[in-house]
Amino acid sequence: MKIEVLYIDDCPNWVEVGRRLEDALAMGGYSRTPISYRLLRTPDEAAEVSFAGSPTITLDGEDLFATDGRTTDLACRIYFTPSGLAGLPTTEQLTKAIASRGV
């Protein structure tokens, strides 16, 4: 399993999403799974991956929260959470999304 966080410099949510991912992976029994981080600096770099805004979390190269919102714009991403719109998913959402992939 390969987890990667795609992010841009201007959006600080990638730091906290990393913490939440670590917690979610631990809850699912995957605490030894490394998380990699990729800084996207240009629209061309964003076009090369499944980027839907910062932070985008991919599992084996696919957006963990896939939408039709793939973009090359270097912008922050909005997630739908139980508490409303937020700049990152909850730990519970991450745990469920990872489990739903059957890993």
Side-chain angles (χ1 to χ4, degrees):
M1 169 171 45
K2 181 180 178 190
I3 300 275
E4 184 172 44
V5 175
L6 308 171
Y7 71 97
I8 61 170
D9 247 348
D10 292 337
C11 191
N13 293 324
W14 67 274
V15 175
E16 180 60 25
V17 88
R19 291 184 191 117
R20 292 182 186 185
L21 263 173
E22 287 174 2
D23 290 343
L25 289 166
M27 284 187 235
Y30 302 106
S31 59
R32 293 186 175 204
T33 301
I35 301 168
S36 61
Y37 298 87
R38 186 185 317 188
L39 173 62
L40 303 176
R41 295 180 180 95
T42 67
D44 288 338
E45 289 178 349
E48 294 173 2
V49 291
S50 292
F51 187 66
S54 179
T56 294
I57 304 124
T58 64
L59 189 149
D60 296 331
E62 293 186 28
D63 190 342
L64 198 54
F65 296 90
T67 67
D68 292 334
R70 191 169 174 177
T71 186
T72 59
D73 293 340
L74 300 180
C76 291
R77 183 172 182 172
I78 299 296
Y79 289 89
F80 294 99
T81 72
S83 301
L85 297 177
L88 61 159
T90 66
T91 302
E92 293 77 19
Q93 286 178 300
L94 289 164
T95 303
K96 288 179 184 176
I98 292 167
S100 75
R101 293 290 177 96
V103 290

